[in-house]
């Protein structure tokens, strides 16, 4: 990277890429992938639909319907590519931005919105979807994932674990500890780092002096850097790493080199700390446009297909909005429900106290629920 060029605009030489920003297929000896036209169209559809859900969520937050939203704009390929590489038996541990992975795990987007609307504490059963709850505490999910992977290993199960985290998270002690445990115990886990170049307002160069994927070698397992805006490459690289994990070859660190095109969250204003030409340079590498160009150039899809996907995206956006606004407010005592996996005497006592307190108001707990 030169000092003058916008951050990440010049693709590093080690980057694994199978589809250029112009939509040209590139061969790679280790990571090639055969995709049927139907599979490519399906990946394109996923990318468009998750972007649409994300845009709708940002709009809902702006209209006061969500407390907060962390946009995935620009990171769709990293999430759909890696998410589609998972099998049903694999387990995924997300951060708060993995809406595309949630989509691949069949988690209803409205359940994600519910958390950001403050009507649930996560909203889905992790075991129903093999998709863990969102984690806001940076990096902590890497320890949960390694522990889970070590359990899978002890059960002798044929499943892998994938854990998502950001470039900023690599500076956390938890992440480094999880690398050590995964390495020493040869845990079947894939560390999927979406390097979106920013940790809120902290740029990548404040986190590392070397490319992030190179960190893995110091811990004793392979690290690779993939073009995070290339859905083919993300799919191929993650498939291989998951297969390695399942077959007892231990962990892999994947650095998906991408860019956060939006704000960190809806509470953030990136114009205060980054220059506009950086975003403009990355717009040319848009993860959706390159798949569209590839489909067009190779006559694998016609205008009718693209119009149909756009119409489907609009319908999905409307549906998600309607169902978000219809989400019921929880009963006040619901906050005590999932503190522990089972009953707990202290939590029961606190619930009773709180209900007695609410009963002191006119209308009792019902009034509390409506406030
Ligand atoms: C332990 C901890 N420290 C600080 C924060 C505040 N915080 C929230 S997001 C964030 C930046 C994370 O950046 P990165 O890991 O690159 O992920 P990204 O948001 O870019 O996807 C920070 C510091 C937090 N949530 N948890
Ligand atoms: Mg980041």
């Amino acid at each position: 990277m030169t000092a003058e060029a916008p951050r990440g605009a010049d693709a590093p030489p080690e980057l694994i890429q199978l589809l250029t920003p112009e939509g040209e297929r590139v061969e790679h000896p280790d990571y090639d992938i055969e995709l049927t036209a139907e599979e490519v169209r399906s990946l394109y559809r996923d990318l468009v639909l998750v972007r649409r859900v994300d845009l709708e969520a940002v709009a809902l937050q702006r209209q006061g319907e969500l407390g907060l939203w962390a946009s995935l704009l620009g990171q769709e390929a990293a999430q759909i590519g890696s998410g589609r590489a998972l099998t049903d038996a694999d387990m995924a541990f997300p951060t708060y931005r993995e809406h595309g992975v949630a989509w691949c795990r069949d988690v209803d987007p409205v359940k994600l919105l519910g958390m950001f609307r403050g009507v649930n504490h996560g909203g889905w059963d992790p075991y129903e979807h093999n998709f863990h709850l969102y984690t806001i505490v940076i990096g902590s999910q890497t320890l949960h994932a390694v522990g889970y992977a070590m359990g899978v290993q002890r059960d002798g199960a044929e499943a892998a674990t994938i854990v998502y985290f950001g470039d900023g998270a690599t500076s956390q002690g938890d992440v480094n500890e999880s690398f050590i445990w995964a390495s020493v115990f040869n845990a079947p886990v894939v560390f999927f780092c979406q390097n979106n170049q920013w940790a809120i307002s902290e740029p990548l160069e404040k986190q590392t002096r070397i490319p992030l994927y190179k960190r893995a070698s110091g811990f004793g397992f392979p690290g690779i850097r993939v073009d995070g805006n290339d859905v083919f490459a993300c799919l191929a690289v993650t498939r291989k790493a998951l297969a390695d994990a399942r077959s007892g070859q231990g962990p892999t660190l994947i650095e998906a080199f991408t860019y956060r095109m939006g704000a960190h969250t809806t509470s953030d204003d990136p114009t205060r700390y980054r220059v506009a030409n950086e975003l403009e340079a990355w717009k040319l590498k848009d993860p959706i446009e390159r798949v569209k160009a590839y489909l067009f150039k190779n006559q694998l899809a016609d205008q009718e297909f693209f119009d149909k996907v756009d119409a489907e995206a609009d319908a999905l956006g409307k549906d998600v909005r309607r169902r978000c606004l219809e989400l019921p407010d929880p009963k006040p005592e619901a906050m005590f429900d999932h503190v522990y996996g089972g009953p707990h005497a202290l939590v029961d006592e606190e619930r009773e106290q709180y209900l007695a307190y609410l009963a002191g108001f006119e209308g009792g707990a019902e009034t509390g629920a409506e406030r």
Side-chain angles (χ1 to χ4, degrees):
M1 197 189 326
T2 61
E4 297 77 29
R7 175 175 304 102
D10 44 353
E14 317 92 339
L15 197 76
I16 292 159
Q17 187 181 68
L18 300 180
L19 186 66
T20 69
E22 295 74 34
E24 301 290 345
R25 275 291 263 126
V26 188
E27 297 297 319
H28 193 286
D30 303 324
Y31 293 102
D32 213 3
I33 192 168
E34 286 294 327
L35 292 166
T36 65
E38 187 51 43
E39 284 169 327
V40 179
R41 285 194 293 266
S42 166
L43 288 171
Y44 174 82
R45 176 178 170 271
D46 281 339
L47 295 169
V48 171
L49 294 187
V50 297
R51 180 170 287 187
R52 187 66 178 79
V53 168
D54 188 72
L55 282 175
E56 199 64 41
V58 171
L60 280 163
Q61 195 283 333
R62 290 290 181 251
Q63 291 157 1
E65 300 294 348
L66 301 180
L68 184 78
W69 183 252
S71 169
L72 63 41
L73 190 66
Q75 297 177 221
E76 295 89 348
Q79 298 193 12
I80 296 297
S82 60
R84 285 291 173 224
L86 295 165
T87 64
D88 287 348
D90 296 334
M91 184 69 164
F93 286 78
T95 70
Y96 39 81
R97 206 186 289 286
E98 268 67 75
H99 322 312
V101 186
W103 175 260
C104 296
R105 302 309 271 170
D106 281 336
V107 175
D108 181 351
V110 175
K111 296 200 167 164
L112 310 177
L113 297 180
M115 193 189 101
F116 288 95
R117 192 172 166 83
V119 299
N120 67 47
H121 286 164
W124 59 92
D125 176 352
Y127 294 105
E128 193 186 326
H129 300 278
N130 272 6
F131 184 72
H132 207 265
L133 297 180
Y134 273 4
T135 310
I136 312 283
V137 183
I138 300 298
S140 62
Q141 73 280 10
T142 57
L143 289 171
H144 309 158
V146 171
Y148 182 90
M150 288 171 65
V152 168
Q153 184 181 43
R154 276 148 190 74
D155 288 346
E158 271 268 318
T161 301
I162 191 166
V163 56
Y164 292 86
F165 54 98
D167 43 292
T170 62
S171 298
Q172 286 288 120
D174 284 6
V175 175
N176 291 271
E177 288 160 17
S178 73
F179 285 178
I180 293 169
W181 278 74
S183 172
V184 170
F185 290 93
N186 206 40
V189 60
V190 175
F191 293 105
F192 196 93
C193 176
Q194 287 170 86
N195 173 3
N196 64 8
Q197 315 298 327
W198 291 93
I200 315 184
S201 55
E202 289 289 295
L204 180 67
E205 53 266 31
K206 291 277 168 63
Q207 313 288 350
T208 190
R209 290 273 177 140
I210 60 162
L212 290 176
Y213 76 97
K214 290 196 173 173
R215 293 255 182 98
S217 73
F219 291 91
F221 55 90
I224 34 181
R225 181 185 266 180
V226 62
D227 182 342
N229 287 15
D230 172 355
V231 73
F232 296 174
C234 288
L235 177 62
V237 163
T238 313
R239 253 189 203 162
K240 162 91 167 60
L242 289 167
D244 286 352
R246 283 187 218 106
S247 63
Q249 294 179 63
T252 302
L253 169 64
I254 299 174
E255 177 191 359
F257 202 79
T258 182
Y259 191 72
R260 195 197 77 209
M261 289 172 83
H264 170 69
T265 66
T266 47
S267 298
D268 171 48
D269 173 9
T271 63
R272 293 181 61 182
Y273 56 82
R274 68 185 189 188
V275 292
N277 73 339
E278 188 179 299
L279 177 61
E280 292 310 311
W282 277 92
K283 275 186 187 166
L284 301 174
K285 303 178 189 201
D286 187 283
I288 300 186
E289 287 309 313
R290 69 178 73 183
V291 183
K292 191 172 191 177
Y294 173 78
L295 283 168
F296 251 133
K297 274 187 209 170
N298 294 282
Q299 299 180 349
L300 302 175
D302 53 15
Q303 192 55 46
E304 197 188 328
F305 166 79
F306 294 112
D307 291 346
K308 223 175 96 186
V309 174
D310 285 346
E312 197 183 344
D314 283 344
L316 176 65
K318 276 198 192 115
D319 176 63
V320 161
R321 163 175 291 270
R322 182 185 53 76
R323 291 191 296 123
C324 174
L325 300 182
E326 285 171 7
L327 283 170
D329 281 348
K331 295 263 185 210
E333 65 269 29
M335 68 174 146
F336 298 97
D337 284 353
H338 302 292
V339 179
Y340 289 97
H344 189 285
L346 183 62
V347 175
D348 289 345
E349 193 185 319
E350 285 176 347
R351 182 192 295 108
E352 289 315 311
Q353 275 177 8
Y354 189 60
L355 284 173
Y357 165 76
L358 289 176
F361 295 95
E362 206 181 325
E366 288 308 315
T367 313
E370 282 158 21
R371 263 198 308 274

